[in-house]
Amino acid sequence: MSLALNSKGGVSETTAERVREIARDIGYTPNALARGLQRSSIGMIGLVIRPLDTLESFLPAGVDFFLRLTGAASLAALERGYTLMLVTDPSKPDSPLSALAADAYIVTEPHENDPVLTMLAGERIPFVTIDHDPARPDAFPAFRARATNQVQTMLAHLVEAGAQRVALVTGTDPNAWNIESRDEYLKWCAASGRSPQLLSYPETAGSAVGDDVIDALFGASPTLPLSSPAPDAIFCLTGRHAAGVTEAAIARGIRVPEDLLVAGGSGAIINQTSKPTVTTFDLQPEAVGALAVDAAVKLAERKPLEGPLESPPALIQVRESTTRSQH
Amino acid sequence: MSLALNSKGGVSETTAERVREIARDIGYTPNALARGLQRSSIGMIGLVIRPLDTLESFLPAGVDFFLRLTGAASLAALERGYTLMLVTDPSKPDSPLSALAADAYIVTEPHENDPVLTMLAGERIPFVTIDHDPARPDAFPAFRARATNQVQTMLAHLVEAGAQRVALVTGTDPNAWNIESRDEYLKWCAASGRSPQLLSYPETAGSAVGDDVIDALFGASPTLPLSSPAPDAIFCLTGRHAAGVTEAAIARGIRVPEDLLVAGGSGAIINQTSKPTVTTFDLQPEAVGALAVDAAVKLAERKPLEGPLESPPALIQVRESTTRSQH
DNA sequence: TTGAAAGCGCTAACAG
DNA sequence: CTGTTAGCGCTTTCAA
């Protein structure tokens, strides 16, 4: 009956039809788990969104990157006959057993020497990453996020918009995005003879970091003399940091964009609605998600990934926070 | 070894430890599929977002309800030791087999006599719905969305904001939300001696319906005399319809909110950023998602759902489109 | 307390 | 071309 229902070899069309009819009559549905056990593949792609393991919330208020990625990946998987499962770190001992049941995984923004990648590789479960493990850049197939390019683009934009002294605010997750952005920023400072002003705050903190950033860069009180000259632009890698900084600056009487330009890396919804709206990148999570699923499905089917994995370019979205009026 | 690793009965602590050590040494990981086959449960909750099957896109631009729901449900599932799988209609013949592998399902906004529910019930797979099947309101456990209450709330708000003649624009999916809203609206019209102005457009169409709605209610040309008096308020059940209607009205020289009030049912992001911003409901998808997972997990573990399923109230978010200035 | 074996529902290889 | 059977990796019952 297996042969008949799956129209494999060696069953006459008449018997096949007879089998199918009976199957229909008794309401037969194949058991996915049993088939999965036999084939050792169940038709499922696992999506591990790494930053969520530190954020401790699947829904950091106002961050839509992950949700857009998830939605796109889910649809892409279904289109390819797969199902998408959402999991956090499956290498944690208390993670559900089913978290390891997928045929292939997509891991976003892995950490330095990420244990998730180590585990998957150890178990010989195929995976692709979205952005690479910064400690093992070429060890595994990865869609590079190219933080380097983005930092260059944004710094160029800020300078063109009138900035002289650009400060950088990164997150603290040890991922390629934070690390490479910082390195590129330092390189740019060195090359252009600027002295770096570099801060890091946990991604979790969200827009609450605003006051701390402004305190650190402009002094706790407006009258306090500063050792280094205050920046005239701040580039925050996370959109929520950028939102908080913008708000804190304005509360302090620092006008955005007149006195201070503010830009974000990965845009959050809030950056489109705040006053002023804040310049960010659109990292095109939908496109990335679909491409990653493509690759994961190939890996699940033990097909080779031909060619380098190209991720779509980040699109800079210039908004009010870096647009000084022309007159 | 199974007994030892799962610390079931009848293994001395010494042997248990010895077994565990060897397991660690050889890097043993239990196979989720095999265990699932044996236990006939794998620790997975399936989420079926019904409207997506008609929308034909997991990401209708600007609609964030589903993504917020998904994120919250996913996190809630992980917290309870389950994993969340996203699927569209698993009753479709071409859906992946794994789409039926979950222990329990959450089905959002089922259609009238929804085949998904029929199938799950037939397979004896437990499920909860978010909003009920309008043809079988009490057949299955459901978190009622209470469209009736929402229509009452919104109509009361519009009247208070100055509306006399309120038109209703629904979607076309045969779900409880559309059906009950329409019924409640008609009841309200009858009770208050108003003549109903009722339109329906596919959810898919999004904000593109704006011109059609305005044409239908105000006449294709501004000078054309209308048989029935034009409305002074339009309540669109979907946020994107509301956005389109607002835009089309303004393009036609009809001022919002001065000449026309516009409100949406389920809010989309665009309603918070448009000019004017549009009054909508916040349906609290995060809270609903977490509650639904709670219920689904109970069902998966064959525990009874005690008491009626209460969903959080929809919160009306009054914005510019229904706020006439006071002077 | 331990070891052996049956069986979860399916697939694929094997004789008939 | 058909019917029988072993076995995927696990759990659990049964005998030792």
Side-chain angles (χ1 to χ4, degrees), chain A residues 29 35 37 42-43 58 71 81 83-87 96-98 123 273 286, chain B residues 29 35 37 42-43 58-59 71 81 83-87 96-98 123 273:
Chain A
T29 319
R35 175 185 293 192
L37 177 58
I42 193 185
F58 203 97
T83 249
L84 190 95
M85 181 179 62
L86 288 173
V87 282
L97 188 50
S98 54
E123 300 278 334
T273 59
E286 291 87 355
Chain B
T29 319
R35 174 184 295 192
L37 176 59
I42 193 185
F58 204 96
L59 284 164
T83 248
L84 190 96
M85 181 178 62
L86 289 173
V87 283
L97 188 50
S98 54
E123 300 278 336
T273 59

PDB file of all heavy atoms in Angstrom, chain A residues 29 35 37 42-43 58 71 81 83-87 96-98 123 273 286, chain B residues 29 35 37 42-43 58-59 71 81 83-87 96-98 123 273:
ATOM      1  N   THR A  29      -4.816   8.738   6.809  1.00  0.00           N
ATOM      2  CA  THR A  29      -3.859   9.830   6.683  1.00  0.00           C
ATOM      3  C   THR A  29      -2.509   9.302   7.123  1.00  0.00           C
ATOM      4  O   THR A  29      -2.392   8.756   8.227  1.00  0.00           O
ATOM      5  CB  THR A  29      -4.212  11.003   7.607  1.00  0.00           C
ATOM      6  OG1 THR A  29      -5.615  11.195   7.581  1.00  0.00           O
ATOM      7  CG2 THR A  29      -3.506  12.260   7.173  1.00  0.00           C
ATOM      8  N   ARG A  35       6.659   8.336   9.080  1.00  0.00           N
ATOM      9  CA  ARG A  35       7.382   8.486   7.827  1.00  0.00           C
ATOM     10  C   ARG A  35       8.707   9.200   8.065  1.00  0.00           C
ATOM     11  O   ARG A  35       9.739   8.838   7.497  1.00  0.00           O
ATOM     12  CB  ARG A  35       6.554   9.290   6.826  1.00  0.00           C
ATOM     13  CG  ARG A  35       7.336   9.558   5.561  1.00  0.00           C
ATOM     14  CD  ARG A  35       6.586  10.453   4.617  1.00  0.00           C
ATOM     15  NE  ARG A  35       5.408   9.760   4.120  1.00  0.00           N
ATOM     16  CZ  ARG A  35       4.684  10.221   3.102  1.00  0.00           C
ATOM     17  NH1 ARG A  35       5.040  11.341   2.504  1.00  0.00           N
ATOM     18  NH2 ARG A  35       3.628   9.573   2.703  1.00  0.00           N
ATOM     19  N   LEU A  37      10.488   9.184  10.703  1.00  0.00           N
ATOM     20  CA  LEU A  37      11.448   8.278  11.349  1.00  0.00           C
ATOM     21  C   LEU A  37      12.126   7.409  10.301  1.00  0.00           C
ATOM     22  O   LEU A  37      13.344   7.229  10.301  1.00  0.00           O
ATOM     23  CB  LEU A  37      10.711   7.400  12.360  1.00  0.00           C
ATOM     24  CG  LEU A  37      11.563   6.356  13.057  1.00  0.00           C
ATOM     25  CD1 LEU A  37      12.731   6.995  13.788  1.00  0.00           C
ATOM     26  CD2 LEU A  37      10.726   5.531  14.024  1.00  0.00           C
ATOM     27  N   ILE A  42      11.553  15.088   7.967  1.00  0.00           N
ATOM     28  CA  ILE A  42      10.121  15.264   8.170  1.00  0.00           C
ATOM     29  C   ILE A  42       9.544  16.432   7.379  1.00  0.00           C
ATOM     30  O   ILE A  42       8.332  16.664   7.387  1.00  0.00           O
ATOM     31  CB  ILE A  42       9.810  15.417   9.686  1.00  0.00           C
ATOM     32  CG1 ILE A  42       8.320  15.293   9.964  1.00  0.00           C
ATOM     33  CG2 ILE A  42      10.407  16.705  10.221  1.00  0.00           C
ATOM     34  CD1 ILE A  42       7.909  15.537  11.384  1.00  0.00           C
ATOM     35  N   GLY A  43      10.404  17.179   6.702  1.00  0.00           N
ATOM     36  CA  GLY A  43       9.902  18.289   5.890  1.00  0.00           C
ATOM     37  C   GLY A  43       9.719  19.549   6.700  1.00  0.00           C
ATOM     38  O   GLY A  43       8.719  20.242   6.579  1.00  0.00           O
ATOM     39  N   PHE A  58      10.268  37.523  22.516  1.00  0.00           N
ATOM     40  CA  PHE A  58      10.164  37.323  21.087  1.00  0.00           C
ATOM     41  C   PHE A  58       9.709  38.599  20.410  1.00  0.00           C
ATOM     42  O   PHE A  58       9.789  38.750  19.220  1.00  0.00           O
ATOM     43  CB  PHE A  58       9.182  36.194  20.764  1.00  0.00           C
ATOM     44  CG  PHE A  58       9.444  35.595  19.434  1.00  0.00           C
ATOM     45  CD1 PHE A  58      10.187  34.445  19.327  1.00  0.00           C
ATOM     46  CD2 PHE A  58       8.987  36.199  18.281  1.00  0.00           C
ATOM     47  CE1 PHE A  58      10.468  33.905  18.092  1.00  0.00           C
ATOM     48  CE2 PHE A  58       9.266  35.656  17.046  1.00  0.00           C
ATOM     49  CZ  PHE A  58      10.008  34.502  16.954  1.00  0.00           C
ATOM     50  N   GLY A  71       7.760  35.717   9.011  1.00  0.00           N
ATOM     51  CA  GLY A  71       6.626  35.586   8.123  1.00  0.00           C
ATOM     52  C   GLY A  71       7.052  35.196   6.724  1.00  0.00           C
ATOM     53  O   GLY A  71       6.494  34.277   6.116  1.00  0.00           O
ATOM     54  N   GLY A  81       7.036  23.139   0.024  1.00  0.00           N
ATOM     55  CA  GLY A  81       6.603  21.865   0.588  1.00  0.00           C
ATOM     56  C   GLY A  81       7.172  21.597   1.965  1.00  0.00           C
ATOM     57  O   GLY A  81       7.156  20.466   2.442  1.00  0.00           O
ATOM     58  N   THR A  83       7.626  23.035   6.142  1.00  0.00           N
ATOM     59  CA  THR A  83       6.932  23.690   7.207  1.00  0.00           C
ATOM     60  C   THR A  83       7.998  24.431   8.017  1.00  0.00           C
ATOM     61  O   THR A  83       9.163  24.042   7.996  1.00  0.00           O
ATOM     62  CB  THR A  83       6.226  22.557   7.982  1.00  0.00           C
ATOM     63  OG1 THR A  83       4.849  22.627   7.813  1.00  0.00           O
ATOM     64  CG2 THR A  83       6.657  22.487   9.389  1.00  0.00           C
ATOM     65  N   LEU A  84       7.629  25.520   8.644  1.00  0.00           N
ATOM     66  CA  LEU A  84       8.627  26.281   9.396  1.00  0.00           C
ATOM     67  C   LEU A  84       8.371  26.201  10.885  1.00  0.00           C
ATOM     68  O   LEU A  84       7.259  26.420  11.352  1.00  0.00           O
ATOM     69  CB  LEU A  84       8.643  27.746   8.969  1.00  0.00           C
ATOM     70  CG  LEU A  84       9.819  28.522   9.548  1.00  0.00           C
ATOM     71  CD1 LEU A  84      10.968  28.563   8.557  1.00  0.00           C
ATOM     72  CD2 LEU A  84       9.424  29.917   9.953  1.00  0.00           C
ATOM     73  N   MET A  85       9.427  25.901  11.616  1.00  0.00           N
ATOM     74  CA  MET A  85       9.306  25.811  13.062  1.00  0.00           C
ATOM     75  C   MET A  85      10.166  26.908  13.681  1.00  0.00           C
ATOM     76  O   MET A  85      11.292  27.121  13.268  1.00  0.00           O
ATOM     77  CB  MET A  85       9.804  24.439  13.508  1.00  0.00           C
ATOM     78  CG  MET A  85       9.721  24.188  14.988  1.00  0.00           C
ATOM     79  SD  MET A  85      10.317  22.516  15.384  1.00  0.00           S
ATOM     80  CE  MET A  85      12.023  22.610  14.845  1.00  0.00           C
ATOM     81  N   LEU A  86       9.610  27.593  14.665  1.00  0.00           N
ATOM     82  CA  LEU A  86      10.363  28.647  15.334  1.00  0.00           C
ATOM     83  C   LEU A  86      10.944  28.130  16.623  1.00  0.00           C
ATOM     84  O   LEU A  86      10.215  27.585  17.449  1.00  0.00           O
ATOM     85  CB  LEU A  86       9.429  29.810  15.659  1.00  0.00           C
ATOM     86  CG  LEU A  86       8.968  30.630  14.480  1.00  0.00           C
ATOM     87  CD1 LEU A  86       7.915  31.620  14.933  1.00  0.00           C
ATOM     88  CD2 LEU A  86      10.159  31.355  13.905  1.00  0.00           C
ATOM     89  N   VAL A  87      12.223  28.293  16.804  1.00  0.00           N
ATOM     90  CA  VAL A  87      12.827  27.857  18.053  1.00  0.00           C
ATOM     91  C   VAL A  87      13.867  28.864  18.505  1.00  0.00           C
ATOM     92  O   VAL A  87      14.416  29.612  17.712  1.00  0.00           O
ATOM     93  CB  VAL A  87      13.518  26.484  17.911  1.00  0.00           C
ATOM     94  CG1 VAL A  87      12.498  25.378  17.919  1.00  0.00           C
ATOM     95  CG2 VAL A  87      14.365  26.422  16.669  1.00  0.00           C
ATOM     96  N   PRO A  96      12.846  22.228  24.108  1.00  0.00           N
ATOM     97  CA  PRO A  96      12.011  21.081  23.775  1.00  0.00           C
ATOM     98  C   PRO A  96      12.737  20.149  22.812  1.00  0.00           C
ATOM     99  O   PRO A  96      13.495  20.608  21.955  1.00  0.00           O
ATOM    100  CB  PRO A  96      10.794  21.704  23.082  1.00  0.00           C
ATOM    101  CG  PRO A  96      10.864  23.167  23.299  1.00  0.00           C
ATOM    102  CD  PRO A  96      12.243  23.502  23.732  1.00  0.00           C
ATOM    103  N   LEU A  97      12.512  18.871  22.969  1.00  0.00           N
ATOM    104  CA  LEU A  97      13.170  17.891  22.112  1.00  0.00           C
ATOM    105  C   LEU A  97      12.836  18.153  20.656  1.00  0.00           C
ATOM    106  O   LEU A  97      13.679  18.026  19.761  1.00  0.00           O
ATOM    107  CB  LEU A  97      12.713  16.488  22.526  1.00  0.00           C
ATOM    108  CG  LEU A  97      13.439  15.326  21.871  1.00  0.00           C
ATOM    109  CD1 LEU A  97      14.938  15.505  21.980  1.00  0.00           C
ATOM    110  CD2 LEU A  97      13.016  14.029  22.519  1.00  0.00           C
ATOM    111  N   SER A  98      11.607  18.557  20.416  1.00  0.00           N
ATOM    112  CA  SER A  98      11.187  18.774  19.039  1.00  0.00           C
ATOM    113  C   SER A  98      11.975  19.896  18.379  1.00  0.00           C
ATOM    114  O   SER A  98      11.992  20.019  17.163  1.00  0.00           O
ATOM    115  CB  SER A  98       9.698  19.107  18.993  1.00  0.00           C
ATOM    116  OG  SER A  98       9.416  20.194  19.853  1.00  0.00           O
ATOM    117  N   GLU A 123      25.987  17.434  15.256  1.00  0.00           N
ATOM    118  CA  GLU A 123      24.912  16.476  14.975  1.00  0.00           C
ATOM    119  C   GLU A 123      24.760  16.216  13.479  1.00  0.00           C
ATOM    120  O   GLU A 123      23.847  15.497  13.063  1.00  0.00           O
ATOM    121  CB  GLU A 123      23.570  17.029  15.502  1.00  0.00           C
ATOM    122  CG  GLU A 123      23.538  17.296  16.995  1.00  0.00           C
ATOM    123  CD  GLU A 123      23.272  16.032  17.783  1.00  0.00           C
ATOM    124  OE1 GLU A 123      22.650  15.109  17.224  1.00  0.00           O
ATOM    125  OE2 GLU A 123      23.707  15.973  18.947  1.00  0.00           O
ATOM    126  N   THR A 273       7.721  56.572  12.926  1.00  0.00           N
ATOM    127  CA  THR A 273       6.592  57.314  13.480  1.00  0.00           C
ATOM    128  C   THR A 273       7.037  58.393  14.457  1.00  0.00           C
ATOM    129  O   THR A 273       6.257  59.251  14.819  1.00  0.00           O
ATOM    130  CB  THR A 273       5.655  56.349  14.233  1.00  0.00           C
ATOM    131  OG1 THR A 273       6.389  55.704  15.267  1.00  0.00           O
ATOM    132  CG2 THR A 273       5.091  55.311  13.303  1.00  0.00           C
ATOM    133  N   GLU A 286      12.319  40.298   4.427  1.00  0.00           N
ATOM    134  CA  GLU A 286      11.503  39.386   3.621  1.00  0.00           C
ATOM    135  C   GLU A 286      12.356  38.678   2.574  1.00  0.00           C
ATOM    136  O   GLU A 286      12.281  37.456   2.403  1.00  0.00           O
ATOM    137  CB  GLU A 286      10.361  40.126   2.911  1.00  0.00           C
ATOM    138  CG  GLU A 286       9.279  40.638   3.842  1.00  0.00           C
ATOM    139  CD  GLU A 286       9.591  42.013   4.399  1.00  0.00           C
ATOM    140  OE1 GLU A 286      10.701  42.540   4.128  1.00  0.00           O
ATOM    141  OE2 GLU A 286       8.732  42.571   5.104  1.00  0.00           O
TER     142      GLU A 286
ATOM    143  N   THR B  29      22.112  12.005  21.370  1.00  0.00           N
ATOM    144  CA  THR B  29      20.954  12.898  21.405  1.00  0.00           C
ATOM    145  C   THR B  29      19.735  12.085  21.016  1.00  0.00           C
ATOM    146  O   THR B  29      19.740  11.447  19.963  1.00  0.00           O
ATOM    147  CB  THR B  29      21.093  14.030  20.377  1.00  0.00           C
ATOM    148  OG1 THR B  29      22.426  14.494  20.377  1.00  0.00           O
ATOM    149  CG2 THR B  29      20.139  15.159  20.707  1.00  0.00           C
ATOM    150  N   ARG B  35      10.958   9.197  19.232  1.00  0.00           N
ATOM    151  CA  ARG B  35      10.214   9.318  20.473  1.00  0.00           C
ATOM    152  C   ARG B  35       8.777   9.744  20.181  1.00  0.00           C
ATOM    153  O   ARG B  35       7.823   9.240  20.784  1.00  0.00           O
ATOM    154  CB  ARG B  35      10.866  10.342  21.389  1.00  0.00           C
ATOM    155  CG  ARG B  35      10.020  10.586  22.619  1.00  0.00           C
ATOM    156  CD  ARG B  35      10.591  11.656  23.488  1.00  0.00           C
ATOM    157  NE  ARG B  35      11.884  11.228  24.022  1.00  0.00           N
ATOM    158  CZ  ARG B  35      12.507  11.880  24.992  1.00  0.00           C
ATOM    159  NH1 ARG B  35      11.954  12.958  25.512  1.00  0.00           N
ATOM    160  NH2 ARG B  35      13.659  11.459  25.440  1.00  0.00           N
ATOM    161  N   LEU B  37       7.055   9.152  17.557  1.00  0.00           N
ATOM    162  CA  LEU B  37       6.293   8.032  16.999  1.00  0.00           C
ATOM    163  C   LEU B  37       5.775   7.146  18.122  1.00  0.00           C
ATOM    164  O   LEU B  37       4.618   6.745  18.151  1.00  0.00           O
ATOM    165  CB  LEU B  37       7.194   7.227  16.062  1.00  0.00           C
ATOM    166  CG  LEU B  37       6.574   5.978  15.476  1.00  0.00           C
ATOM    167  CD1 LEU B  37       5.320   6.328  14.686  1.00  0.00           C
ATOM    168  CD2 LEU B  37       7.566   5.252  14.589  1.00  0.00           C
ATOM    169  N   ILE B  42       4.868  15.016  19.772  1.00  0.00           N
ATOM    170  CA  ILE B  42       6.240  15.442  19.536  1.00  0.00           C
ATOM    171  C   ILE B  42       6.576  16.764  20.219  1.00  0.00           C
ATOM    172  O   ILE B  42       7.711  17.232  20.191  1.00  0.00           O
ATOM    173  CB  ILE B  42       6.510  15.509  18.013  1.00  0.00           C
ATOM    174  CG1 ILE B  42       8.003  15.640  17.725  1.00  0.00           C
ATOM    175  CG2 ILE B  42       5.691  16.614  17.380  1.00  0.00           C
ATOM    176  CD1 ILE B  42       8.349  15.835  16.283  1.00  0.00           C
ATOM    177  N   GLY B  43       5.584  17.390  20.841  1.00  0.00           N
ATOM    178  CA  GLY B  43       5.860  18.646  21.536  1.00  0.00           C
ATOM    179  C   GLY B  43       5.807  19.846  20.621  1.00  0.00           C
ATOM    180  O   GLY B  43       6.653  20.728  20.678  1.00  0.00           O
ATOM    181  N   PHE B  58       1.984  35.901   3.285  1.00  0.00           N
ATOM    182  CA  PHE B  58       2.114  35.862   4.726  1.00  0.00           C
ATOM    183  C   PHE B  58       2.289  37.260   5.277  1.00  0.00           C
ATOM    184  O   PHE B  58       2.154  37.493   6.452  1.00  0.00           O
ATOM    185  CB  PHE B  58       3.295  34.988   5.135  1.00  0.00           C
ATOM    186  CG  PHE B  58       3.143  34.453   6.515  1.00  0.00           C
ATOM    187  CD1 PHE B  58       2.619  33.201   6.712  1.00  0.00           C
ATOM    188  CD2 PHE B  58       3.471  35.215   7.614  1.00  0.00           C
ATOM    189  CE1 PHE B  58       2.441  32.709   7.989  1.00  0.00           C
ATOM    190  CE2 PHE B  58       3.294  34.739   8.891  1.00  0.00           C
ATOM    191  CZ  PHE B  58       2.774  33.479   9.071  1.00  0.00           C
ATOM    192  N   LEU B  59       2.573  38.171   4.411  1.00  0.00           N
ATOM    193  CA  LEU B  59       2.931  39.498   4.874  1.00  0.00           C
ATOM    194  C   LEU B  59       2.171  40.578   4.160  1.00  0.00           C
ATOM    195  O   LEU B  59       2.755  41.375   3.454  1.00  0.00           O
ATOM    196  CB  LEU B  59       4.408  39.721   4.614  1.00  0.00           C
ATOM    197  CG  LEU B  59       5.303  39.011   5.591  1.00  0.00           C
ATOM    198  CD1 LEU B  59       6.695  38.959   5.045  1.00  0.00           C
ATOM    199  CD2 LEU B  59       5.260  39.751   6.911  1.00  0.00           C
ATOM    200  N   GLY B  71       4.631  35.858  16.823  1.00  0.00           N
ATOM    201  CA  GLY B  71       5.765  36.038  17.722  1.00  0.00           C
ATOM    202  C   GLY B  71       5.405  35.687  19.151  1.00  0.00           C
ATOM    203  O   GLY B  71       6.123  34.954  19.832  1.00  0.00           O
ATOM    204  N   GLY B  81       7.694  24.507  26.914  1.00  0.00           N
ATOM    205  CA  GLY B  81       8.356  23.299  26.456  1.00  0.00           C
ATOM    206  C   GLY B  81       7.860  22.791  25.123  1.00  0.00           C
ATOM    207  O   GLY B  81       8.101  21.642  24.760  1.00  0.00           O
ATOM    208  N   THR B  83       7.180  23.713  20.834  1.00  0.00           N
ATOM    209  CA  THR B  83       7.748  24.383  19.697  1.00  0.00           C
ATOM    210  C   THR B  83       6.570  24.837  18.838  1.00  0.00           C
ATOM    211  O   THR B  83       5.505  24.237  18.913  1.00  0.00           O
ATOM    212  CB  THR B  83       8.652  23.321  19.026  1.00  0.00           C
ATOM    213  OG1 THR B  83       9.989  23.683  19.151  1.00  0.00           O
ATOM    214  CG2 THR B  83       8.245  23.044  17.639  1.00  0.00           C
ATOM    215  N   LEU B  84       6.723  25.901  18.095  1.00  0.00           N
ATOM    216  CA  LEU B  84       5.605  26.391  17.299  1.00  0.00           C
ATOM    217  C   LEU B  84       5.885  26.221  15.817  1.00  0.00           C
ATOM    218  O   LEU B  84       6.941  26.602  15.314  1.00  0.00           O
ATOM    219  CB  LEU B  84       5.328  27.863  17.587  1.00  0.00           C
ATOM    220  CG  LEU B  84       4.022  28.340  16.954  1.00  0.00           C
ATOM    221  CD1 LEU B  84       2.894  28.266  17.970  1.00  0.00           C
ATOM    222  CD2 LEU B  84       4.140  29.741  16.419  1.00  0.00           C
ATOM    223  N   MET B  85       4.920  25.658  15.121  1.00  0.00           N
ATOM    224  CA  MET B  85       5.060  25.458  13.688  1.00  0.00           C
ATOM    225  C   MET B  85       4.015  26.325  12.987  1.00  0.00           C
ATOM    226  O   MET B  85       2.860  26.348  13.395  1.00  0.00           O
ATOM    227  CB  MET B  85       4.814  23.987  13.374  1.00  0.00           C
ATOM    228  CG  MET B  85       4.945  23.622  11.929  1.00  0.00           C
ATOM    229  SD  MET B  85       4.687  21.843  11.685  1.00  0.00           S
ATOM    230  CE  MET B  85       3.006  21.657  12.232  1.00  0.00           C
ATOM    231  N   LEU B  86       4.440  27.010  11.954  1.00  0.00           N
ATOM    232  CA  LEU B  86       3.507  27.847  11.200  1.00  0.00           C
ATOM    233  C   LEU B  86       3.044  27.120   9.963  1.00  0.00           C
ATOM    234  O   LEU B  86       3.857  26.653   9.179  1.00  0.00           O
ATOM    235  CB  LEU B  86       4.212  29.133  10.764  1.00  0.00           C
ATOM    236  CG  LEU B  86       4.513  30.115  11.873  1.00  0.00           C
ATOM    237  CD1 LEU B  86       5.359  31.242  11.330  1.00  0.00           C
ATOM    238  CD2 LEU B  86       3.210  30.637  12.429  1.00  0.00           C
ATOM    239  N   VAL B  87       1.764  27.018   9.778  1.00  0.00           N
ATOM    240  CA  VAL B  87       1.266  26.367   8.574  1.00  0.00           C
ATOM    241  C   VAL B  87       0.052  27.114   8.042  1.00  0.00           C
ATOM    242  O   VAL B  87      -0.636  27.800   8.781  1.00  0.00           O
ATOM    243  CB  VAL B  87       0.840  24.911   8.841  1.00  0.00           C
ATOM    244  CG1 VAL B  87       2.055  24.027   8.939  1.00  0.00           C
ATOM    245  CG2 VAL B  87       0.012  24.787  10.104  1.00  0.00           C
ATOM    246  N   PRO B  96       2.365  20.261   3.051  1.00  0.00           N
ATOM    247  CA  PRO B  96       3.381  19.311   3.485  1.00  0.00           C
ATOM    248  C   PRO B  96       2.822  18.367   4.544  1.00  0.00           C
ATOM    249  O   PRO B  96       1.995  18.762   5.361  1.00  0.00           O
ATOM    250  CB  PRO B  96       4.474  20.192   4.086  1.00  0.00           C
ATOM    251  CG  PRO B  96       4.149  21.595   3.759  1.00  0.00           C
ATOM    252  CD  PRO B  96       2.726  21.648   3.304  1.00  0.00           C
ATOM    253  N   LEU B  97       3.290  17.137   4.510  1.00  0.00           N
ATOM    254  CA  LEU B  97       2.810  16.143   5.460  1.00  0.00           C
ATOM    255  C   LEU B  97       3.089  16.591   6.885  1.00  0.00           C
ATOM    256  O   LEU B  97       2.278  16.399   7.797  1.00  0.00           O
ATOM    257  CB  LEU B  97       3.513  14.816   5.168  1.00  0.00           C
ATOM    258  CG  LEU B  97       3.013  13.608   5.932  1.00  0.00           C
ATOM    259  CD1 LEU B  97       1.503  13.502   5.816  1.00  0.00           C
ATOM    260  CD2 LEU B  97       3.676  12.356   5.417  1.00  0.00           C
ATOM    261  N   SER B  98       4.223  17.227   7.049  1.00  0.00           N
ATOM    262  CA  SER B  98       4.599  17.656   8.398  1.00  0.00           C
ATOM    263  C   SER B  98       3.616  18.678   8.966  1.00  0.00           C
ATOM    264  O   SER B  98       3.579  18.898  10.179  1.00  0.00           O
ATOM    265  CB  SER B  98       6.003  18.253   8.395  1.00  0.00           C
ATOM    266  OG  SER B  98       6.095  19.284   7.428  1.00  0.00           O
ATOM    267  N   GLU B 123      -9.667  13.930  12.421  1.00  0.00           N
ATOM    268  CA  GLU B 123      -8.423  13.231  12.777  1.00  0.00           C
ATOM    269  C   GLU B 123      -8.262  13.138  14.295  1.00  0.00           C
ATOM    270  O   GLU B 123      -7.240  12.646  14.769  1.00  0.00           O
ATOM    271  CB  GLU B 123      -7.216  13.974  12.190  1.00  0.00           C
ATOM    272  CG  GLU B 123      -7.231  14.098  10.669  1.00  0.00           C
ATOM    273  CD  GLU B 123      -6.722  12.841   9.998  1.00  0.00           C
ATOM    274  OE1 GLU B 123      -5.965  12.099  10.632  1.00  0.00           O
ATOM    275  OE2 GLU B 123      -7.123  12.597   8.843  1.00  0.00           O
ATOM    276  N   THR B 273       0.632  55.971  11.100  1.00  0.00           N
ATOM    277  CA  THR B 273       1.601  56.863  10.474  1.00  0.00           C
ATOM    278  C   THR B 273       0.972  57.741   9.410  1.00  0.00           C
ATOM    279  O   THR B 273       1.574  58.696   8.955  1.00  0.00           O
ATOM    280  CB  THR B 273       2.720  56.038   9.805  1.00  0.00           C
ATOM    281  OG1 THR B 273       2.124  55.174   8.833  1.00  0.00           O
ATOM    282  CG2 THR B 273       3.467  55.204  10.824  1.00  0.00           C
TER     283      THR B 273
END
